[in-house]
Coordinates of all heavy atoms in Angstrom, one line a residue:
M215 N -197.2 72.4 22.1 CA -196.6 71.2 21.7 C -197.1 70.8 20.3 O -198.3 70.9 20.1 CB -196.9 70.1 22.7 CG -195.9 69.0 22.8 SD -196.3 67.8 24.1 CE -196.7 66.3 23.1
Q216 N -196.2 70.3 19.5 CA -196.6 69.9 18.2 C -197.0 68.5 18.1 O -196.3 67.6 18.6 CB -195.5 70.2 17.2 CG -195.9 70.5 15.9 CD -194.7 70.8 15.0 OE1 -193.6 70.8 15.4 NE2 -195.0 71.1 13.7
R217 N -198.1 68.2 17.4 CA -198.5 66.8 17.2 C -197.7 66.2 16.1 O -197.3 66.9 15.2 CB -200.0 66.8 16.9 CG -200.9 67.0 18.1 CD -202.3 66.4 17.9 NE -202.8 66.5 16.6 CZ -203.9 65.9 16.2 NH1 -204.6 65.2 17.1 NH2 -204.4 66.0 15.0
A218 N -197.5 64.9 16.2 CA -196.8 64.2 15.2 C -197.6 64.3 13.9 O -198.7 64.0 13.8 CB -196.6 62.7 15.5
S219 N -196.9 64.8 12.9 CA -197.6 64.9 11.6 C -197.9 63.6 11.0 O -197.2 62.6 11.2 CB -196.7 65.8 10.6 OG -195.5 65.2 10.5
V220 N -198.9 63.5 10.2 CA -199.3 62.3 9.6 C -198.4 62.0 8.4 O -198.3 62.8 7.5 CB -200.8 62.4 9.1 CG1 -201.2 61.1 8.5 CG2 -201.7 62.7 10.3
L221 N -197.7 60.9 8.5 CA -196.8 60.6 7.5 C -197.5 59.8 6.4 O -198.5 59.1 6.6 CB -195.7 59.7 8.0 CG -194.7 60.3 9.0 CD1 -193.9 59.2 9.7 CD2 -193.8 61.3 8.4
T222 N -197.1 60.1 5.2 CA -197.6 59.3 4.1 C -196.8 57.9 4.1 O -195.7 57.9 3.7 CB -197.4 60.0 2.8 OG1 -197.9 61.3 2.9 CG2 -198.2 59.3 1.7
L223 N -197.5 56.9 4.5 CA -196.8 55.6 4.6 C -196.7 55.0 3.2 O -197.7 55.1 2.4 CB -197.5 54.7 5.5 CG -197.5 55.2 7.0 CD1 -198.5 54.3 7.8 CD2 -196.1 55.1 7.6
P224 N -195.6 54.3 2.9 CA -195.5 53.7 1.6 C -196.4 52.4 1.6 O -196.8 51.9 2.6 CB -194.1 53.3 1.5 CG -193.6 53.2 3.0 CD -194.5 54.2 3.7
T225 N -196.8 52.0 0.4 CA -197.5 50.7 0.3 C -196.7 49.7 -0.5 O -195.9 50.1 -1.3 CB -198.8 51.0 -0.5 OG1 -198.6 51.7 -1.7 CG2 -199.8 51.8 0.3
C226 N -196.9 48.5 -0.1 CA -196.2 47.4 -0.7 C -196.5 47.3 -2.2 O -197.7 47.3 -2.6 CB -196.5 46.1 0.0 SG -195.7 44.7 -0.8
T227 N -195.5 47.2 -3.1 CA -195.8 47.1 -4.5 C -196.4 45.8 -4.9 O -197.2 45.7 -5.8 CB -194.4 47.3 -5.3 OG1 -193.8 48.4 -4.8 CG2 -194.7 47.4 -6.8
S228 N -196.2 44.8 -4.1 CA -196.8 43.5 -4.4 C -198.2 43.3 -3.9 O -199.0 42.8 -4.6 CB -195.9 42.4 -3.8 OG -194.6 42.4 -4.3
C229 N -198.5 43.7 -2.7 CA -199.8 43.4 -2.1 C -200.6 44.6 -1.8 O -201.7 44.5 -1.3 CB -199.6 42.5 -0.8 SG -198.9 43.3 0.5
N230 N -200.0 45.8 -2.0 CA -200.7 47.1 -1.7 C -201.0 47.4 -0.3 O -201.8 48.3 0.0 CB -202.0 47.2 -2.6 CG -201.7 47.6 -4.0 OD1 -200.7 48.3 -4.2 ND2 -202.4 47.0 -4.9
R231 N -200.4 46.6 0.6 CA -200.6 46.9 2.0 C -199.8 48.1 2.5 O -198.7 48.3 1.9 CB -200.2 45.6 2.8 CG -200.9 45.4 4.1 CD -200.6 44.0 4.6 NE -199.1 43.7 4.7 CZ -198.4 44.1 5.7 NH1 -198.9 44.7 6.8 NH2 -197.1 43.9 5.8
V232 N -200.3 48.8 3.4 CA -199.5 49.9 3.9 C -198.4 49.4 4.8 O -198.6 48.5 5.6 CB -200.4 50.9 4.8 CG1 -199.6 51.9 5.5 CG2 -201.5 51.5 3.9
I233 N -197.2 49.9 4.6 CA -196.1 49.4 5.3 C -195.8 50.3 6.5 O -195.6 51.5 6.4 CB -194.8 49.4 4.4 CG1 -195.0 48.3 3.3 CG2 -193.6 49.0 5.2 CD1 -194.0 48.4 2.1
S234 N -195.8 49.7 7.7 CA -195.5 50.5 8.9 C -194.0 50.7 9.0 O -193.2 49.9 8.6 CB -196.1 49.8 10.1 OG -195.6 48.5 10.2
P235 N -193.7 51.8 9.7 CA -192.3 52.2 9.7 C -191.4 51.2 10.5 O -190.2 51.2 10.2 CB -192.3 53.6 10.5 CG -193.7 54.1 10.3 CD -194.6 52.8 10.3
D236 N -192.0 50.4 11.4 CA -191.1 49.5 12.1 C -191.0 48.1 11.5 O -190.4 47.2 12.0 CB -191.7 49.4 13.6 CG -193.1 48.9 13.6 OD1 -193.8 49.0 12.5 OD2 -193.6 48.4 14.6
E237 N -191.6 48.0 10.3 CA -191.5 46.8 9.6 C -190.2 46.6 8.9 O -189.6 47.6 8.5 CB -192.6 46.8 8.5 CG -193.2 45.4 8.2 CD -194.4 45.6 7.3 OE1 -195.5 46.1 7.8 OE2 -194.3 45.2 6.2
K238 N -189.8 45.3 8.7 CA -188.5 45.1 8.0 C -188.8 45.0 6.5 O -188.5 44.1 5.8 CB -187.9 43.8 8.5 CG -187.4 43.8 9.9 CD -186.6 42.6 10.2 CE -186.3 42.5 11.7 NZ -187.5 42.0 12.4
A239 N -189.3 46.1 6.0 CA -189.6 46.2 4.6 C -188.3 46.6 3.8 O -187.4 47.2 4.4 CB -190.7 47.1 4.3
V240 N -188.3 46.3 2.5 CA -187.2 46.8 1.7 C -187.7 47.7 0.6 O -188.8 47.6 0.2 CB -186.4 45.7 1.1 CG1 -185.6 45.0 2.1 CG2 -187.3 44.7 0.4
R241 N -186.9 48.6 0.2 CA -187.2 49.4 -0.9 C -186.0 49.6 -1.8 O -184.9 49.6 -1.3 CB -187.8 50.8 -0.5 CG -186.7 51.6 0.2 CD -187.2 53.0 0.3 NE -186.2 53.8 1.0 CZ -186.2 55.1 1.2 NH1 -187.2 55.8 0.7 NH2 -185.3 55.8 1.8
F242 N -186.3 49.6 -3.1 CA -185.2 49.7 -4.0 C -185.7 50.3 -5.3 O -186.9 50.1 -5.6 CB -184.5 48.4 -4.3 CG -185.5 47.3 -4.6 CD1 -185.8 47.0 -5.9 CD2 -186.1 46.5 -3.6 CE1 -186.7 46.0 -6.2 CE2 -187.0 45.5 -3.9 CZ -187.3 45.2 -5.2
P243 N -184.9 51.0 -6.1 CA -185.4 51.5 -7.4 C -185.7 50.3 -8.3 O -185.0 49.3 -8.3 CB -184.3 52.4 -7.9 CG -183.1 51.9 -7.2 CD -183.5 51.4 -5.9
C244 N -186.6 50.5 -9.2 CA -186.9 49.5 -10.2 C -185.6 49.1 -11.0 O -184.9 50.0 -11.5 CB -187.9 50.0 -11.2 SG -188.2 48.9 -12.6
P245 N -185.3 47.8 -11.0 CA -184.0 47.4 -11.6 C -184.0 47.6 -13.1 O -183.0 47.7 -13.8 CB -183.9 45.9 -11.3 CG -185.0 45.6 -10.4 CD -186.0 46.7 -10.4
S246 N -185.2 47.8 -13.7 CA -185.3 47.9 -15.1 C -185.3 49.4 -15.6 O -184.4 49.8 -16.4 CB -186.5 47.2 -15.6 OG -186.7 47.4 -17.0
C247 N -186.2 50.2 -15.0 CA -186.3 51.6 -15.5 C -185.7 52.6 -14.5 O -185.5 53.7 -14.9 CB -187.7 51.9 -15.8 SG -188.8 52.0 -14.4
N248 N -185.5 52.2 -13.3 CA -184.9 53.1 -12.3 C -185.7 54.3 -12.0 O -185.2 55.3 -11.4 CB -183.5 53.5 -12.8 CG -182.5 53.4 -11.6 OD1 -182.6 52.5 -10.8 ND2 -181.6 54.3 -11.6
R249 N -187.0 54.3 -12.4 CA -187.8 55.5 -12.2 C -188.7 55.6 -11.0 O -189.1 56.6 -10.6 CB -188.6 55.8 -13.5 CG -187.8 56.3 -14.6 CD -188.5 56.2 -15.9 NE -189.6 57.1 -16.0 CZ -190.5 57.0 -17.0 NH1 -190.4 56.1 -18.0 NH2 -191.5 57.8 -17.1
I250 N -189.0 54.4 -10.5 CA -189.9 54.4 -9.3 C -189.2 53.5 -8.2 O -188.3 52.8 -8.5 CB -191.3 53.9 -9.5 CG1 -191.3 52.4 -10.0 CG2 -192.1 54.8 -10.5 CD1 -192.6 51.7 -9.8
T251 N -189.7 53.7 -7.0 CA -189.2 52.9 -5.9 C -190.1 51.8 -5.6 O -191.3 52.0 -5.5 CB -189.0 53.8 -4.6 OG1 -188.2 54.9 -4.9 CG2 -188.5 53.0 -3.5
I252 N -189.6 50.6 -5.7 CA -190.3 49.4 -5.4 C -190.3 49.2 -3.9 O -189.2 49.2 -3.3 CB -189.7 48.2 -6.1 CG1 -189.5 48.4 -7.6 CG2 -190.6 46.9 -5.8 CD1 -190.7 48.2 -8.5
W253 N -191.4 49.0 -3.3 CA -191.5 48.6 -1.8 C -192.0 47.2 -1.7 O -192.9 46.8 -2.4 CB -192.5 49.6 -1.1 CG -192.0 50.9 -0.8 CD1 -192.0 52.0 -1.6 CD2 -191.3 51.3 0.4 NE1 -191.4 53.1 -0.9 CE2 -191.0 52.6 0.3 CE3 -191.0 50.6 1.6 CZ2 -190.3 53.3 1.3 CZ3 -190.3 51.3 2.6 CH2 -190.0 52.6 2.5
R254 N -191.3 46.5 -0.8 CA -191.8 45.2 -0.5 C -191.9 45.0 1.0 O -190.9 45.3 1.8 CB -190.8 44.1 -1.0 CG -190.7 44.1 -2.5 CD -189.8 43.0 -3.0 NE -190.6 41.8 -3.2 CZ -190.1 40.6 -3.2 NH1 -188.9 40.4 -3.1 NH2 -190.9 39.5 -3.4
C255 N -193.0 44.6 1.4 CA -193.3 44.4 2.9 C -192.6 43.1 3.4 O -192.2 42.3 2.6 CB -194.8 44.4 3.2 SG -195.6 43.0 2.6
E256 N -192.6 43.0 4.7 CA -192.0 41.8 5.3 C -192.6 40.5 4.8 O -191.9 39.6 4.5 CB -192.3 42.0 6.8 CG -191.2 41.6 7.7 CD -191.5 41.8 9.2 OE1 -192.2 42.8 9.5 OE2 -191.1 41.0 10.0
I257 N -193.9 40.5 4.7 CA -194.6 39.3 4.3 C -194.2 38.9 2.8 O -193.9 37.8 2.5 CB -196.1 39.5 4.4 CG1 -196.4 39.7 5.9 CG2 -196.9 38.2 3.9 CD1 -197.8 40.3 6.2
C258 N -194.3 39.9 2.0 CA -194.0 39.6 0.6 C -192.5 39.2 0.4 O -192.2 38.4 -0.5 CB -194.3 40.8 -0.3 SG -196.0 41.1 -0.5
R259 N -191.6 39.7 1.2 CA -190.2 39.3 1.2 C -190.1 37.8 1.5 O -189.5 37.0 0.9 CB -189.4 40.1 2.1 CG -188.9 41.4 1.5 CD -188.1 42.1 2.6 NE -186.9 41.3 3.1 CZ -186.4 41.4 4.2 NH1 -186.8 42.3 5.1 NH2 -185.4 40.7 4.6
E260 N -190.8 37.4 2.6 CA -190.8 36.1 3.1 C -191.4 35.1 2.1 O -190.9 34.0 1.9 CB -191.5 35.9 4.4 CG -190.6 36.2 5.6 CD -191.4 36.2 6.9 OE1 -192.4 35.4 7.0 OE2 -191.0 37.0 7.8
L261 N -192.5 35.5 1.5 CA -193.2 34.6 0.5 C -192.6 34.8 -0.9 O -193.1 34.1 -1.8 CB -194.7 35.0 0.5 CG -195.4 34.8 1.8 CD1 -196.8 35.2 1.7 CD2 -195.3 33.3 2.3
S262 N -191.6 35.6 -1.1 CA -191.0 35.9 -2.4 C -192.0 36.1 -3.5 O -192.0 35.6 -4.5 CB -190.1 34.7 -2.8 OG -189.1 34.4 -1.8
R263 N -193.0 37.0 -3.1 CA -194.0 37.4 -4.1 C -193.3 38.3 -5.2 O -192.4 39.0 -4.9 CB -195.1 38.2 -3.4 CG -196.1 37.3 -2.7 CD -197.2 38.1 -2.1 NE -198.1 37.3 -1.3 CZ -198.8 37.7 -0.3 NH1 -198.7 39.0 0.1 NH2 -199.6 36.9 0.4
T264 N -193.9 38.2 -6.3 CA -193.4 39.0 -7.4 C -194.0 40.4 -7.3 O -195.0 40.6 -6.7 CB -193.8 38.4 -8.8 OG1 -195.2 38.2 -8.9 CG2 -193.1 37.1 -9.0
Y265 N -193.3 41.4 -7.9 CA -193.8 42.7 -8.0 C -193.8 43.1 -9.5 O -193.1 42.6 -10.3 CB -192.9 43.7 -7.2 CG -191.4 43.6 -7.6 CD1 -191.0 44.4 -8.7 CD2 -190.5 42.9 -6.9 CE1 -189.7 44.3 -9.1 CE2 -189.2 42.8 -7.3 CZ -188.8 43.5 -8.4 OH -187.5 43.5 -8.8
V266 N -194.6 44.1 -9.8 CA -194.7 44.6 -11.1 C -194.5 46.1 -11.1 O -195.2 46.8 -10.4 CB -196.0 44.3 -11.8 CG1 -196.0 44.8 -13.2 CG2 -196.2 42.7 -11.9
C267 N -193.5 46.6 -11.8 CA -193.2 48.0 -11.9 C -194.4 48.7 -12.6 O -194.8 48.3 -13.7 CB -191.9 48.3 -12.6 SG -191.6 50.0 -12.9
S268 N -194.9 49.7 -12.0 CA -196.1 50.4 -12.6 C -195.6 51.3 -13.8 O -196.5 51.8 -14.6 CB -196.8 51.2 -11.6 OG -195.9 52.2 -11.0
V269 N -194.4 51.6 -13.9 CA -193.9 52.4 -15.0 C -193.5 51.6 -16.3 O -194.1 51.8 -17.4 CB -192.7 53.2 -14.6 CG1 -192.1 54.0 -15.8 CG2 -193.1 54.2 -13.5
C270 N -192.7 50.6 -16.1 CA -192.2 49.8 -17.3 C -192.8 48.4 -17.3 O -192.6 47.7 -18.3 CB -190.7 49.8 -17.3 SG -190.0 48.8 -15.9
G271 N -193.5 48.0 -16.3 CA -194.1 46.7 -16.3 C -193.1 45.5 -16.0 O -193.5 44.4 -16.2
F272 N -191.9 45.9 -15.5 CA -191.0 44.9 -15.2 C -191.5 44.0 -14.0 O -192.0 44.5 -13.0 CB -189.6 45.6 -14.8 CG -188.6 44.6 -14.3 CD1 -187.8 43.9 -15.2 CD2 -188.4 44.4 -12.9 CE1 -186.8 43.0 -14.8 CE2 -187.4 43.5 -12.5 CZ -186.6 42.8 -13.4
E273 N -191.3 42.7 -14.2 CA -191.8 41.8 -13.1 C -190.5 41.1 -12.5 O -189.7 40.7 -13.3 CB -192.7 40.7 -13.8 CG -193.8 40.3 -12.9 CD -194.7 39.4 -13.7 OE1 -195.4 39.8 -14.6 OE2 -194.8 38.2 -13.3
G274 N -190.5 41.1 -11.2 CA -189.3 40.6 -10.6 C -189.5 40.0 -9.3 O -190.6 40.2 -8.7
P275 N -188.6 39.2 -8.8 CA -188.7 38.6 -7.5 C -188.2 39.5 -6.4 O -187.4 40.4 -6.7 CB -187.7 37.4 -7.6 CG -186.8 37.7 -8.7 CD -187.4 38.8 -9.5
Ligands
ZN571 ZN1 -196.6 43.0 0.5
ZN572 ZN1 -189.6 49.9 -14.0

């Protein structure tokens, strides 16, 4: 029997928290440069925290 492989969990772009797979997190490409995927955890979505793209420095809600 094979053990479940350790997944690399994404981290929230706003708070750097590890996002669990059952969370209602959202991900989308950076609206400015389109080069990285922005992750936002449930909490940051609720609190409307800002994120900063690590590639182009775009700041957004
Ligand atoms: Zn977060
Ligand atoms: Zn960007």
Side-chain angles (χ1 to χ4, degrees):
M215 207 176 115
Q216 207 179 359
R217 285 206 321 173
S219 58
V220 181
L221 295 167
T222 311
L223 295 170
T225 51
C226 174
T227 307
S228 297
C229 68
N230 280 324
R231 207 167 56 83
V232 173
I233 295 168
S234 56
D236 57 341
E237 210 171 292
K238 289 191 194 74
V240 287
R241 66 167 179 175
F242 50 92
C244 171
S246 178
C247 68
N248 225 36
R249 281 164 69 189
I250 62 156
T251 302
I252 309 275
W253 278 90
R254 295 187 87 200
C255 71
E256 219 176 325
I257 297 160
C258 288
R259 275 180 57 208
E260 270 176 33
L261 299 178
S262 301
R263 282 185 184 151
T264 56
Y265 57 83
V266 179
C267 171
S268 59
V269 175
C270 69
F272 177 81
E273 216 174 293

